[in-house]
Amino acid sequence: MSAGEENRSALVPAQTAALTKAGAKSLAARGRADLRVREEAEEWLQKGLEFYYKRLYEDAFACFERGTQLCPNHSATQLMLGVLYYYGQGVPQDRAQAAVWYRMAAEQGLVEAQFSLGFQYNFQDGLPRDYALAAFWYRKAAEQGHARAQRQLGALYAFGQVVPPDDEQAEIWYRKATEQGDADAPLFVDYAWLCGEGENLNQPSPVQAQPMQSKLHSFLSERQYPKLSDAERKASLEAFDQTKDDLQPSTCDETSGGDQPSGSGGTTLT
Amino acid sequence: MNSEIVCHLSPEEQELARKREELAFLQAELTDRELFLANLRAELAAFDGRYLREVGVLYAELDDWNAKIAEYVAEADGSNEAKSAAAEARGQAEESYAASHGEAAKAADFSPTPELKKLFREVVRQIHPDNAADDADRAVRNRLMAEANLAYRRGDADALRRILEEYKSSPESVKGEGVGADLVRVLRQIDRIVKRLAQIEAEAAELASSEIALLMAKVETATAKGRNLLAEMKLDVQRRIDLARNEYEDQFSKMRPR
């Protein structure tokens, strides 16, 4: 901006020119274009969710797919795809594929995806049983305040599935879970949840959720738990495995027995 | 104006009086609009700076990774298309870097105090080029006006005061060549001011429709709803950077097994 120019049009035209540079590659233009793409992906997610609530799962799947095509990074859409694959809604059930989508969302910090991934590792649910990874993902969700992840994490510590067993850690996580009020909503469902990343976890979701009723549940909720003998541990684990069934929302199609882990038959206690 | 006096003025004198009133009104309007335009420019420049510093640098990093990948592929592939793609990618990366690390990115936040605004208005009122008596005067005023805009943008009240002192003008100091000549001059001034007002509106419209202004509007709407849009954009670009970096490292380990 030269101060020596004589004519009126020199009154800071350079500033305006710089600001209005609208070349296709200008950084502001790119920012806006990317925002628009993200917004469109959000719209597809919303449409998909509407179909989902109406149980039109194939349409929902199509919408979510479109959304990820537009914006491969959209974590909430990734989570929904994981859900559809997990319960076989709108697509043939494929829990391994579900885990692929859950992982993408989990890596972006989406708490429900982190919990689901931990769950799948924990119970050999489409993923090889791996307590270390289960604990890893539970912990991520637990640190964001996910009550069930906290409880599951506590259980892993208590039952020695995380080596070495750590009663102190178990206690810490059980306590946190109890303080949260043990929200027992199913894997996901309300969009506010998806985006809240932990905030709305303790609100009941619109799709029904049955609180877990198992004895083990109340046992685990107690602040002080006694040391278990091996037999008692085995029984507890069996009961614990069965509570997994409580996690299925009643709307889902019956799952094939194929890749379901059988009770605790194959469990090796460390 | 005293109605008794009006009766004694000739038609030209009455016309001159009316036109002087119109001129005064327009001059006040002009001062307002110059301030408005200066604010608009400054706010946009400040937002542009912030955007470039926070998001722009990330785009530059992303482009750099994309260029690295393209260059790697070109080295392995060797074809002309691969090479020109790599050159284009590198060009884009350099452009993004320059844009996000250049002058515009250094623009500081803009928050003028009421005193600064008042000072700017006063400076504009006194030195606006459209009030110049003759060409030489106009030249001086043009220069000062440009400086005043820059000083305002910087928030430099002292500079504005210095401008005021430098130009000790007497706005009404015009040679009295009679009502006719005065009227012609006043009409010319009105004409210039009307043109300048139109120019201001045109520039404001251009600014308001710029990419950066539209982006700023989006960010402000989102802020009102409690969303931090810039943070979301940063996250988005950062994820893309991570993906690109992973891809580059994949290529690297594929091409050069250890």
Side-chain angles (χ1 to χ4, degrees):
Chain A
M1 231 302 301
S2 79
E5 290 188 43
E6 303 283 280
N7 55 40
R8 172 195 318 283
S9 61
L11 290 176
V12 292
Q15 283 185 27
T16 299
L19 288 172
T20 56
K21 181 176 76 153
K25 293 180 182 171
S26 90
L27 293 176
R30 279 172 76 180
R32 277 192 70 225
D34 288 341
L35 265 180
R36 268 197 296 273
V37 164
R38 245 192 119 74
E39 277 164 13
E40 217 187 312
E42 289 265 339
E43 280 165 28
W44 282 111
L45 174 66
Q46 287 295 353
K47 278 187 211 151
L49 282 173
E50 275 169 31
F51 281 127
Y52 186 88
Y53 291 144
K54 294 180 191 154
R55 305 185 186 190
L56 300 168
Y57 298 123
E58 273 129 13
D59 294 320
F61 183 78
C63 289
F64 297 142
E65 270 221 315
R66 186 84 187 89
T68 14
Q69 271 163 19
L70 273 175
C71 185
N73 256 331
H74 203 265
S75 52
T77 315
Q78 288 162 346
L79 176 58
M80 287 312 296
L81 281 170
V83 163
L84 291 183
Y85 274 113
Y86 186 86
Y87 291 114
Q89 294 167 321
V91 271
Q93 187 184 60
D94 185 344
R95 297 206 162 170
Q97 184 59 34
V100 168
W101 287 110
Y102 282 152
R103 184 190 311 280
M104 286 191 235
E107 277 164 3
Q108 292 186 55
L110 220 47
V111 66
E112 279 302 337
Q114 290 166 341
F115 171 75
S116 306
L117 204 54
F119 184 89
Q120 286 189 271
Y121 276 121
N122 194 351
F123 295 108
Q124 196 176 315
D125 191 17
L127 288 173
R129 198 184 292 268
D130 187 331
Y131 291 123
L133 279 173
F136 174 79
W137 286 113
Y138 279 154
R139 177 181 281 279
K140 287 210 173 250
E143 279 164 358
Q144 289 196 63
H146 193 287
R148 252 176 39 232
Q150 290 167 344
R151 194 179 341 105
Q152 305 279 49
L153 186 60
L156 288 181
Y157 277 117
F159 294 119
Q161 286 152 330
V162 176
V163 178
D166 188 337
D167 294 336
E168 230 179 83
Q169 278 291 301
E171 172 122 9
I172 287 170
W173 289 112
Y174 284 152
R175 183 162 289 147
K176 286 197 181 179
T178 322
E179 277 162 10
Q180 296 271 15
D182 267 352
D184 273 327
L187 281 175
F188 62 92
V189 181
D190 189 83
Y191 185 51
W193 264 26
L194 295 177
C195 294
E197 296 191 337
E199 286 161 31
N200 296 318
L201 278 174
N202 292 323
Q203 310 302 322
S205 74
V207 173
Q208 68 306 233
Q210 295 303 317
M212 296 212 297
Q213 298 292 333
S214 68
K215 276 191 275 186
L216 187 63
H217 160 67
S218 49
F219 174 74
L220 290 175
S221 295
E222 285 169 16
R223 299 203 175 200
Q224 288 196 339
Y225 60 96
K227 296 269 191 261
L228 299 179
S229 69
D230 278 1
E232 281 168 337
R233 267 191 179 185
K234 190 155 179 265
S236 301
L237 272 172
E238 271 174 77
F240 205 11
D241 277 350
Q242 269 163 35
T243 63
K244 188 175 50 58
D245 296 330
D246 289 340
L247 298 174
Q248 319 276 348
S250 57
T251 55
C252 97
D253 300 323
E254 213 25 62
T255 58
S256 67
D259 54 348
Q260 296 300 309
S262 56
S264 63
T267 310
T268 39
L269 299 179
T270 42
Chain B
M1 246 210 265
N2 201 319
S3 57
E4 286 149 18
I5 298 177
V6 167
C7 295
H8 296 122
L9 292 179
S10 70
E12 292 94 351
E13 283 167 330
Q14 285 176 43
E15 178 68 2
L16 181 60
R18 274 197 294 274
K19 285 301 170 184
R20 280 211 171 114
E21 249 184 70
E22 191 180 327
L23 179 63
F25 172 79
L26 284 172
Q27 280 167 333
E29 170 105 356
L30 181 65
T31 312
D32 276 344
R33 298 314 280 169
E34 291 285 8
L35 176 64
F36 164 76
L37 185 62
N39 274 331
L40 186 57
R41 275 197 215 109
E43 278 164 14
L44 281 181
F47 178 77
D48 194 33
R50 188 174 153 215
Y51 174 74
L52 289 173
R53 281 193 301 273
E54 296 191 23
V55 184
V57 295
L58 292 177
Y59 273 118
E61 202 184 322
L62 177 64
D63 288 346
D64 185 53
W65 282 111
N66 284 334
K68 282 196 174 94
I69 291 171
E71 284 162 351
Y72 219 93
V73 166
E75 203 191 300
D77 186 287
S79 73
N80 280 336
E81 294 112 59
K83 285 191 180 142
S84 67
E88 201 184 311
R90 180 51 64 188
Q92 170 68 54
E94 279 166 5
E95 197 185 303
S96 304
Y97 186 87
S100 58
H101 291 84
E103 274 312 301
K106 300 191 181 128
D109 281 342
F110 178 69
S111 40
T113 60
E115 297 97 51
L116 188 74
K117 285 186 184 172
K118 218 167 124 192
L119 196 47
F120 182 75
R121 282 165 134 274
E122 187 54 28
V123 170
V124 167
R125 193 179 71 78
Q126 292 213 16
I127 70 165
H128 202 286
D130 289 332
N131 297 331
D134 53 37
D135 287 340
D137 188 34
R138 180 168 306 118
V140 173
R141 284 170 176 250
N142 268 317
R143 175 177 62 82
L144 290 176
M145 190 67 189
E147 281 177 28
N149 267 295
L150 286 177
Y152 183 63
R153 169 76 187 89
R154 281 195 313 268
D156 192 341
D158 289 332
L160 286 175
R161 274 184 221 112
R162 277 198 300 274
I163 290 171
L164 265 184
E165 278 166 28
E166 181 182 333
Y167 193 82
K168 283 177 167 87
S169 72
S170 43
E172 305 309 317
S173 63
V174 270
K175 312 142 207 172
E177 291 169 355
V179 173
D182 282 351
L183 188 56
V184 162
R185 197 169 25 75
V186 166
L187 287 175
R188 275 205 203 116
Q189 266 186 297
I190 288 177
D191 189 52
R192 278 198 300 267
I193 290 182
V194 164
K195 285 203 173 92
R196 173 63 188 153
L197 282 171
Q199 206 181 45
I200 290 177
E201 293 319 304
E203 197 183 327
E206 197 191 337
L207 283 173
S209 62
S210 67
E211 290 284 352
I212 195 70
L214 295 170
L215 189 56
M216 186 166 103
K218 272 203 140 130
V219 169
E220 280 171 356
T221 317
T223 312
K225 293 185 188 154
R227 265 176 84 182
N228 187 342
L229 205 57
L230 280 182
E232 287 176 24
M233 291 173 82
K234 280 162 78 172
L235 261 179
D236 195 40
V237 184
Q238 186 59 58
R239 279 174 206 149
R240 287 157 66 186
I241 290 174
D242 294 336
L243 285 175
R245 186 182 46 234
N246 289 340
E247 191 187 328
Y248 176 72
E249 279 160 7
D250 274 349
Q251 299 269 5
F252 190 86
S253 57
K254 255 186 255 161
M255 302 291 188
R256 311 233 176 116
R258 299 181 184 221

